[in-house]
Amino acid sequence: MQGGFETAFYELGLYMAIGLLLLVVGAIILGIFTLPGFYLVLFGAQFLTRLAQATGVRAFNYLGLMFRNITRNLLRTSLTYVAIFVLVFVVTGIWTILNFIDSITKEQKNNLKAIITEKHQIPSQMPRSYENQIADIAFKLPPEMRPKNGTDDIMTWSFIGGSTDANNRSLKNTVFFFAMEPRKLLTMMDGLEDLSASEMAQLKWAVDEMEHNSKAVVIGEEKLELMEKRVGDRIKITCFNYPGLEFELDIIASFPKGSRYSQSAVMTREYFYRSVDDYERKTGKTEYSDRCLNLIWIRLPSTEAFETMATEVNTVGRFTPAVKMETASAAFGAFLDPYRDIFWGMRYVFSPMIIIIITLIIAIAVSIGVRERHTEMAVLKVLGFKPWQVLMLVLCEALLVGVISGGISTGLIYMGIKNAGGLPIKVAFFPKFMLSPVVLLWGPMIGAGASFVGSIIPAWTTHKIKAAAVFSRVT
Amino acid sequence: MMTAVSADRAPGLVRRVVSFFVEAPLVVLQVLTALTVTLPALRLVRPFVCNGGGRSWGSRLLRLGFAFGVSTVVTQIQLAITSLVMSAVVIGFYLALDSTARATFDLAKFFQSKEPSDLLVRGVIQTVVILLTVLLDRPFLDSFADLSDDFPTLRFVLQKRIGLTKAIIRVGTTMILMGLSLMPLSALLLALPAVNPGEAVLTDTVPTTRSRLRVLARRIGGLLTATAMLVVVIAFATELTTRLNLTGDTFYGTLSRKLLSEDLARRLPTTMVEQWPYVLLIVYVIDLLILLVIGKVPHSYMIRNMIVRWRITSLTALAFVVVLFMLTFMLSFVNGMTKLTEASGIPGNVMVLSEGSTDELFSNLGYGDVGNLERITATEDENDRPLPKPVSVKTIKKEGKTLFLGSRETYCVVNQVVPNSNKRRFVQLRIIVDADVSSAVHNLELMDKSHEWFTNIGVDSARRMQCVVGQGVAATLGADIGKKSLEPGDTFELADLTFVVTGVMKTEGTTFGSEVWCSNVNTITAALGKKSYTTFVVRVNDDSEASARVFAYHVRNRYQTQKLKAVPEKEYFADLNKNNQQTLYSIIVFAVVMAIGGIFGVMNTMFAAIAQRTKDIGILRLLGFKRWQVLVSFLLESMAMALLGGILGVALGYLCNGYSVTSIASGGQGGGKTVAAKLVVDRDVILIGILFTLVMGRLGGLVPALSAMRLKILDAIR
């Protein structure tokens, strides 16, 4: 420290103050996001129950009693609700990832997709002549086993990494392209079902355009934002996995935000192959054309077709370097193998532990409630309530809080993440995870399950309350 | 510090700043902004509404319309001014702290930027504006309480609006109190008169005074004594931690360096930046000891209450057990990965890859590209100043010959069919030219003398590829043949070739544990189609990291034969740790969410305890115990519950220590290495667990304890 007044500690203090401010802001936002919806549902349901009580059905009286008990100590109910809300949020996030991973690694029986890659090495690098050889094998299969849509069921991918500023490469100016035949975008890519009709129409237009202009590219909107580019811009990409290649590209369209490809980019295979040919003609080297094909996709009508073709492709000596054919799900499974322990932890440690925490929070709240309401339970018994009815009252109150909390939590998460275009957690090569509507069931189910387990013991204690014993203590 | 802001953009900026508040990305902030916008308008309308008695309805409506018209314009002006002032203050502060942002800051872009730091600062600005507007308008809103009954609907709306303002203020105050609970309570108690000079904390009663000077003196006195206490406790904790001589790069040190600006981190004591959990823990322990000493309410009363309510106490503690077990488990993973990547890099090594490659996997060095690289010498540093001693590649003597410590390597990831299954997995293979040189460069030895390096011929008499394997992969492949680990003589299939193990490398705690090494012979290079190296690793002559940096710079910028990428090996592995840092951030988010569960659990318990013991509190006060003593008693109770569960949770987490997990070490630009890391529950993880427990106990305990403290004697015993 060189003389003068050192302000480091004051600055640290200010850092802390900002941290505190953020905490306050975060809590207020959490409260505003979560509590009004909860109260709306709670008081709304209570109001409807009150109206329904006019019908004279006893069950509604019983329900009304439950709502009154829940709203009696709003602070406790709110604390319990917010805790369940955030915990269900995390479980939903974890299950969304696991659900997606399970779905892509699950074998499909019909209409299955297979991947052909270099047998031994990662990254797979094959000569581009392999595409024709693979197509030959596919179309020599018995008619019922051949790809139904001819060559439209075969797609090749070449990965091209490049930067708009080769000297100062950063995440911002780096972009990875799939070089492929444009029309295969419509026939072979997964996840297009998420696009709306107008987005699909725009994609079709872009594909037509790419068929005519080989320099045309489509880049995901999020990637474009990161690169600070827009549709209509022309970019120059210096390739780093094929040193010496440069591409002049016209951005003609973008994959919409929220779609699976919002961070991806697609260029035409024609332009890439032409650039490779030009480079090899100039330099006299043939190194690129021998390794510029990374993946071949093929869609086959059945498992039998896949097995027959795989036997042909995997025959030793047929291809040099050797290739292997496997189902897309098996290939994803192999890629995700290094993450298996992490997924195992998420599935069998994190999720159950969080559900246990939810159960404990409910158990604490219900136990406190039961302890405070011993006299009230005794009065209920004196009024003629049977022990199982008192037990059910406590159990159902807990279930109501659990189901409403879980339901609102997953409902808001579903809407929020749907609008954000997926859960933005990067695992392996997946930048985002999409939610399926089945998520909406998870919250109420977790809430109901945790409430039941958490409240069964406190509820059972009410079952054993003896009115005489309670009143003998009342002074 | 705002010199980087272009002056000619000023008019556009005003528009941008104002439109930012209208086009807020967050719906909640948008709604709040809209609500606050109505407040100044109401202020102007007030006289027309409140003094409207006696006028005709038509006249009053006209006046009302006119007032709203004028007030709308005034509202926009007020919002613009408030926003600009607050933006200037917050952005100025942001720039003062962050030297990197200061150098490149562009105000026009800032209001459109999607960078997380900019979004955060904008969120802070907007929230401060909203909170300020709400706070400043509260007295004004309160004055509407005497509205005439002429406008019942307006009155109803205003009452609800006042209720909302009060609720926001109450939540804000509670949250500020929760945040303050992270400060040492001893200092907090001393500071309370600064907030409320009439509040009796250290004494049961405070003599009332009308003198503003005395009130001010009380406030300043409270603030000064609290600051002094805080400084003393923190200084003591920092000094004590410094004397512990804790060393090593830790995952939590990386975190604090990320959060603080580079400039500030450099100026603060190293211990506070690198070993902050220890400093905080000592602060909390001192505070806890002070509270235990000064607390007058018998601790047996607290313990008895916990025992009487054993069910709820156990449930609360159990919630802490689960949270802390999870935290320990997750941190042990990050700790293990950090230690693994750190141990893998050797300070004096430089890794040379092909230009533009993001990872070894994508590097492609022609056999001739690194031809004379080991013979070059760096004589100048990064600033072209002559070095006191030239940096060159280290040499060793072998069988009378001098060998340069430059390891030529081809790194591949090979797809292997798992024996007796239809699954596949990836095996990392490193093809090297000279085992003696490569083992010396990477400081690797074999397990014992019965193990051998493969020969330079690389194949045995049965044409099997000879190889040595790391301990991790030896265990994985060993399981295929029903062994705990592969041993010399064992074989496995890879790339349609049979490999025979000649030795197992001592790779405990390094990424090399997951690798198979073999000789660079045609059998394997032809099978994989690899006709080039991927990596060239050299050891500099003095084994130092500084020389490695100089040599890497020299190769990158002054080596003319071929454009190459050269990085010190330590930096390369630090980069591989990036993925791990992202995991750490995810764990923090995860831990915070879990903590909310624990905190609310303890809050529920403590509020219920206070509700049940209201009479006890009254009697305690009647017996002469002071309000702050009641506060301390309840806070200690919540912290005892938290500690009970927390220590058990950490102990349970300790059982995970040493377990092996497979993961990926990656720099996030593709590539990466599959590694077999061990879960490491060491002193750091345990202390962070205990610190987290104390933080949760304090956060969950202070607000209920304050509510207990504020109970009035008569109300309590009634």
Side-chain angles (χ1 to χ4, degrees):
Chain A
M1 311 211 178
Q2 312 159 341
F5 189 65
E6 179 52 74
T7 57
F9 286 98
Y10 296 98
E11 288 173 31
L12 185 66
L14 283 171
Y15 256 105
M16 300 291 181
I18 287 190
L20 180 60
L21 184 69
L22 288 176
L23 187 76
V24 174
V25 172
I28 291 173
I29 289 175
L30 182 68
I32 288 171
F33 260 125
T34 56
L35 287 170
F38 180 62
Y39 291 144
L40 198 70
V41 173
L42 201 63
F43 290 117
Q46 193 174 14
F47 177 71
L48 290 176
T49 311
R50 226 177 266 168
L51 292 180
Q53 279 171 350
T55 60
V57 180
R58 277 181 66 184
F60 289 118
N61 293 339
Y62 207 60
L63 197 61
L65 191 61
M66 279 180 222
F67 276 116
R68 223 173 17 250
N69 288 333
I70 293 172
T71 50
R72 194 187 294 174
N73 191 332
L74 265 184
L75 175 68
R76 186 179 304 144
T77 309
S78 305
L79 285 175
T80 310
Y81 159 71
V82 177
I84 297 174
F85 182 94
V86 288
L87 291 166
V88 167
F89 180 94
V90 176
V91 179
T92 308
I94 292 175
W95 284 5
T96 298
I97 295 171
L98 294 176
N99 195 38
F100 181 78
I101 299 291
D102 286 347
S103 71
I104 60 161
T105 51
K106 198 172 148 193
E107 207 72 68
Q108 286 183 343
K109 293 277 176 231
N110 298 313
N111 206 23
L112 59 82
K113 269 189 183 173
I115 299 178
I116 294 138
T117 50
E118 195 180 346
K119 186 173 181 183
H120 301 301
Q121 273 203 88
I122 303 291
S124 155
Q125 292 174 329
M126 303 178 286
R128 63 188 190 205
S129 57
Y130 277 18
E131 186 197 355
N132 291 336
Q133 296 180 51
I134 294 290
D136 275 352
I137 296 173
F139 295 116
K140 280 179 186 161
L141 291 172
E144 72 280 7
M145 292 186 181
R146 289 177 198 164
K148 280 181 185 163
N149 306 306
T151 53
D152 276 352
D153 279 344
I154 301 176
M155 168 171 73
T156 62
W157 275 3
S158 298
F159 302 125
I160 296 152
S163 171
T164 51
D165 185 358
N167 295 323
N168 297 303
R169 222 167 77 197
S170 68
L171 204 61
K172 229 174 171 180
N173 58 38
T174 299
V175 59
F176 288 92
F177 287 96
F178 300 104
M180 57 185 286
E181 291 167 283
R183 71 173 194 281
K184 305 291 171 67
L185 257 174
L186 302 171
T187 59
M188 287 293 284
M189 300 288 267
D190 290 329
L192 295 177
E193 60 278 5
D194 296 338
L195 300 183
S196 65
S198 64
E199 287 167 346
M200 198 63 200
Q202 208 189 356
L203 183 65
K204 279 180 185 162
W205 170 84
V207 166
D208 281 345
E209 195 66 21
M210 285 170 89
E211 293 279 353
H212 296 110
N213 173 11
S214 63
K215 292 188 174 185
V217 291
V218 181
I219 301 180
E221 246 173 65
E222 285 175 36
K223 188 71 209 171
L224 277 180
E225 273 179 22
L226 190 70
M227 293 171 73
E228 292 176 357
K229 300 284 174 198
R230 59 181 69 180
V231 172
D233 285 354
R234 167 165 279 216
I235 52 173
K236 187 176 176 183
I237 297 287
T238 308
C239 192
F240 49 72
N241 57 338
Y242 295 95
L245 295 194
E246 281 188 349
F247 304 105
E248 295 258 352
L249 302 164
D250 299 319
I251 307 169
I252 58 154
S254 62
F255 292 114
K257 236 180 199 173
S259 71
R260 195 183 289 186
Y261 301 103
S262 61
Q263 294 183 10
S264 307
V266 172
M267 67 182 284
T268 64
R269 190 178 75 171
E270 185 195 339
Y271 184 33
F272 171 56
Y273 280 180
R274 204 170 60 226
S275 303
V276 167
D277 291 341
D278 288 347
Y279 172 81
E280 291 188 341
R281 220 177 5 257
K282 271 186 214 160
T283 58
K285 297 177 185 171
T286 57
E287 53 178 335
Y288 288 168
S289 51
D290 285 346
R291 60 180 179 92
C292 66
L293 181 58
N294 298 106
L295 284 178
I296 302 173
W297 292 82
I298 183 161
R299 188 189 282 126
L300 291 164
S302 63
T303 316
E304 292 71 37
F306 165 77
E307 280 165 4
T308 312
M309 187 168 166
T311 313
E312 289 276 326
V313 173
N314 295 342
T315 308
V316 177
R318 181 149 198 164
F319 292 91
T320 311
V323 297
K324 64 176 187 301
M325 180 169 172
E326 57 196 334
T327 57
S329 55
F332 285 135
F335 268 107
L336 292 171
D337 190 52
Y339 294 88
R340 67 176 184 273
D341 287 346
I342 294 174
F343 292 145
W344 184 90
M346 285 162 76
R347 196 185 302 269
Y348 297 111
V349 181
F350 294 168
S351 311
M353 288 290 178
I354 293 176
I355 293 173
I356 289 173
I357 297 175
I358 298 174
T359 309
L360 286 170
I361 289 166
I362 292 172
I364 292 169
V366 175
S367 297
I368 293 168
V370 166
R371 203 185 152 95
E372 283 173 357
R373 287 159 55 196
H374 263 214
T375 314
E376 183 190 316
M377 305 290 177
V379 170
L380 286 176
K381 285 195 172 174
V382 169
L383 289 174
F385 277 74
K386 295 199 168 54
W388 69 266
Q389 285 176 316
V390 180
L391 181 145
M392 287 302 288
L393 184 72
V394 175
L395 206 60
C396 291
E397 281 170 25
L399 279 171
L400 264 181
V401 175
V403 171
I404 294 175
S405 309
I408 293 177
S409 179
T410 42
L412 287 177
I413 292 162
Y414 182 76
M415 284 191 294
I417 292 178
K418 199 87 182 158
N419 279 331
L423 189 65
I425 295 177
K426 192 168 186 276
V427 178
F429 35 83
F430 304 107
K432 280 185 174 181
F433 290 87
M434 301 297 163
L435 292 176
S436 70
V438 75
V439 165
L440 295 169
L441 289 177
W442 292 349
M445 277 164 60
I446 296 169
S451 303
F452 182 78
V453 177
S455 62
I456 189 74
I457 294 174
W460 184 254
T461 59
T462 62
H463 173 263
K464 292 191 295 185
I465 288 173
K466 289 195 166 50
V470 171
F471 289 122
S472 67
R473 287 204 301 271
V474 175
T475 54
Chain B
M1 299 305 170
M2 305 275 280
T3 46
V5 181
S6 316
D8 57 332
R9 291 180 178 166
L13 285 177
V14 175
R15 189 175 43 78
R16 275 176 207 273
V17 172
V18 175
S19 70
F20 160 66
F21 284 88
V22 181
E23 295 159 7
L26 205 58
V27 181
V28 177
L29 287 183
Q30 222 168 22
V31 172
L32 282 176
T33 310
L35 281 173
T36 50
V37 161
T38 60
L39 298 178
L42 282 172
R43 183 183 291 143
L44 282 169
V45 173
R46 187 180 185 279
F48 294 91
V49 178
C50 293
N51 307 323
R55 291 179 190 274
S56 72
W57 272 96
S59 161
R60 280 156 66 183
L61 271 176
L62 270 174
R63 287 161 69 90
L64 205 64
F66 174 74
F68 266 111
V70 174
S71 66
T72 308
V73 177
V74 176
T75 297
Q76 292 301 324
I77 295 168
Q78 178 181 327
L79 189 68
I81 293 170
T82 321
S83 307
L84 279 171
V85 172
M86 284 318 301
S87 301
V89 171
V90 180
I91 294 170
F93 178 61
Y94 165 60
L95 291 178
L97 286 184
D98 193 337
S99 54
T100 321
R102 198 158 55 227
T104 55
F105 189 74
D106 183 333
L107 191 56
K109 281 186 182 166
F110 170 79
F111 279 101
Q112 288 178 323
S113 161
K114 293 273 168 31
E115 287 287 319
S117 59
D118 293 341
L119 283 173
L120 190 71
V121 176
R122 276 167 23 202
V124 170
I125 294 173
Q126 198 162 359
T127 311
V128 170
V129 171
I130 291 163
L131 288 178
L132 267 182
T133 320
V134 170
L135 282 170
L136 292 173
D137 276 295
R138 190 188 164 178
F140 162 73
L141 279 171
D142 283 344
S143 72
F144 273 92
D146 62 346
L147 265 182
S148 70
D149 290 334
D150 289 350
F151 296 98
T153 313
L154 183 62
R155 188 189 168 104
F156 176 78
V157 169
L158 279 171
Q159 276 171 351
K160 291 296 161 201
R161 181 64 190 79
I162 292 165
L164 180 67
T165 309
K166 283 181 178 169
I168 291 175
I169 291 169
R170 202 177 301 134
V171 172
T173 316
T174 310
M175 292 314 301
I176 289 170
L177 279 174
M178 278 183 77
L180 287 176
S181 69
L182 295 177
M183 280 175 64
L185 191 69
S186 40
L188 210 62
L189 288 173
L190 292 170
L192 224 60
V195 185
N196 188 353
E199 187 73 57
V201 179
L202 292 177
T203 54
D204 209 16
T205 51
V206 174
T208 48
T209 175
R210 286 188 164 188
S211 161
R212 291 191 174 203
L213 211 60
R214 279 192 183 172
V215 170
L216 187 67
R218 268 183 204 167
R219 285 183 195 272
I220 294 172
L223 211 60
L224 286 178
T225 45
T227 311
M229 182 73 178
L230 195 66
V231 170
V232 167
V233 174
I234 292 175
F236 178 75
T238 310
E239 182 62 26
L240 196 63
T241 313
T242 310
R243 282 170 189 267
L244 290 174
N245 278 330
L246 303 162
T247 50
D249 281 343
T250 52
F251 60 91
Y252 49 81
T254 317
L255 189 70
S256 57
R257 282 197 301 275
K258 274 261 177 223
L259 285 175
L260 298 173
S261 71
E262 208 176 292
D263 179 46
L264 181 59
R266 189 176 43 76
R267 287 186 291 135
L268 284 169
T270 315
T271 314
M272 281 184 91
V273 180
E274 298 294 333
Q275 307 295 345
W276 59 268
Y278 286 82
V279 176
L280 270 183
L281 192 69
I282 294 171
V283 167
Y284 284 158
V285 169
I286 295 169
D287 191 46
L288 197 61
L289 289 175
I290 294 174
L291 296 184
L292 282 171
V293 171
I294 63 170
K296 293 283 193 285
V297 178
H299 302 315
S300 55
Y301 167 73
M302 173 190 91
I303 294 165
R304 204 163 44 244
N305 273 309
M306 284 171 66
I307 294 169
V308 167
R309 296 154 43 85
W310 67 271
R311 276 203 196 94
I312 292 169
T313 306
S314 317
L315 284 174
T316 313
L318 196 57
F320 276 82
V321 171
V322 179
V323 172
L324 265 296
F325 165 73
M326 296 261 284
L327 184 76
T328 311
F329 180 76
M330 292 187 293
L331 286 182
S332 67
F333 172 72
V334 174
N335 199 20
M337 288 291 287
T338 307
K339 289 198 184 313
L340 182 85
T341 45
E342 264 176 21
S344 301
I346 292 169
N349 278 3
V350 174
M351 282 183 82
V352 181
L353 308 172
S354 62
E355 169 72 1
S357 52
T358 51
D359 188 68
E360 272 191 283
L361 196 58
F362 307 121
S363 174
N364 197 19
L365 288 171
Y367 288 143
D369 292 348
V370 292
N372 64 344
L373 204 60
E374 54 209 355
R375 293 174 193 281
I376 64 169
T377 303
T379 53
E380 290 172 340
D381 68 6
E382 291 101 319
N383 300 314
D384 299 334
R385 288 177 304 213
L387 288 165
K389 207 176 146 194
V391 179
S392 58
V393 176
K394 196 174 183 173
T395 55
I396 52 166
K397 291 271 183 199
K398 187 191 165 190
E399 294 163 5
K401 282 188 197 166
T402 303
L403 293 177
F404 287 101
L405 279 189
S407 173
R408 293 169 162 78
E409 303 167 359
T410 306
Y411 170 80
C412 339
V413 178
V414 184
N415 208 317
Q416 185 200 34
V417 178
V418 179
N420 309 318
S421 97
N422 56 358
K423 286 187 174 175
R424 290 175 177 273
R425 68 175 160 225
F426 298 123
V427 176
Q428 296 169 76
L429 181 70
R430 197 173 289 274
I431 305 167
I432 56 173
V433 173
D434 188 323
D436 291 325
V437 170
S438 297
S439 59
V441 168
H442 293 293
N443 286 356
L444 289 176
E445 290 174 1
L446 296 176
M447 292 297 280
D448 61 55
K449 285 182 180 166
S450 65
H451 294 231
E452 289 175 355
W453 288 98
F454 42 82
T455 59
N456 280 351
I457 303 165
V459 286
D460 66 4
S461 52
R463 303 300 301 161
R464 298 177 303 184
M465 280 297 302
Q466 295 176 322
C467 69
V468 292
V469 290
Q471 285 170 276
V473 74
T476 310
L477 299 179
D480 296 342
I481 52 169
K483 280 185 166 182
K484 202 175 168 191
S485 170
L486 288 179
E487 290 164 9
D490 287 335
T491 60
F492 60 90
E493 299 293 320
L494 193 66
D496 290 340
L497 295 170
T498 303
F499 280 69
V500 59
V501 178
T502 59
V504 178
M505 296 183 283
K506 272 189 206 168
T507 51
E508 180 85 52
T510 72
T511 56
F512 298 110
S514 310
E515 293 185 4
V516 174
W517 284 21
C518 68
S519 184
N520 191 328
V521 289
N522 194 42
T523 318
I524 185 70
T525 53
L528 297 175
K530 277 279 181 188
K531 297 165 197 160
S532 59
Y533 302 127
T534 55
T535 326
F536 184 56
V537 187
V538 294
R539 173 75 64 81
V540 292
N541 50 357
D542 66 353
D543 289 343
S544 75
E545 201 173 345
S547 296
R549 266 200 302 273
V550 168
F551 194 82
Y553 180 84
H554 185 76
V555 174
R556 259 196 328 265
N557 299 293
R558 302 194 192 109
Y559 184 64
Q560 299 296 326
T561 315
Q562 180 76 24
K563 274 295 247 181
L564 297 168
K565 175 181 176 176
V567 281
E569 201 176 53
K570 273 276 180 197
E571 264 178 36
Y572 174 81
F573 281 102
D575 192 54
L576 280 190
N577 203 23
K578 269 185 188 164
N579 206 28
N580 199 29
Q581 281 175 23
Q582 282 168 6
T583 312
L584 179 62
Y585 301 146
S586 310
I587 287 174
I588 292 169
V589 173
F590 203 69
V592 168
V593 172
M594 284 191 309
I596 291 175
I599 290 166
F600 285 7
V602 84
M603 262 190 177
N604 259 343
T605 307
M606 291 313 295
F607 273 125
I610 290 157
Q612 276 178 2
R613 281 148 60 188
T614 309
K615 280 192 178 147
D616 287 19
I617 295 166
I619 290 165
L620 282 172
R621 296 291 316 282
L622 275 180
L623 288 172
F625 288 101
K626 289 168 187 161
R627 287 149 59 106
W628 67 267
Q629 288 165 347
V630 173
L631 171 104
V632 167
S633 171
F634 276 91
L635 191 68
L636 283 177
E637 191 173 324
S638 64
M639 278 163 70
M641 243 185 283
L643 270 176
L644 183 75
I647 291 170
L648 272 173
V650 173
L652 210 60
Y654 188 76
L655 299 177
C656 305
N657 188 33
Y659 271 90
S660 231
V661 286
T662 310
S663 184
I664 285 260
S666 155
Q669 298 251 332
K673 295 184 194 311
T674 306
V675 291
K678 282 213 155 55
L679 300 180
V680 181
V681 185
D682 59 5
R683 187 186 57 201
D684 291 345
V685 173
I686 292 172
L687 285 182
I688 289 180
I690 305 287
L691 179 66
F692 196 72
T693 306
L694 285 173
V695 167
M696 281 169 67
R698 296 173 81 98
L699 283 172
L702 187 71
V703 177
L706 276 170
S707 74
M709 183 187 93
R710 292 171 71 91
L711 278 175
K712 291 193 171 73
I713 300 175
L714 284 178
D715 288 344
I717 57 172
R718 191 170 290 148

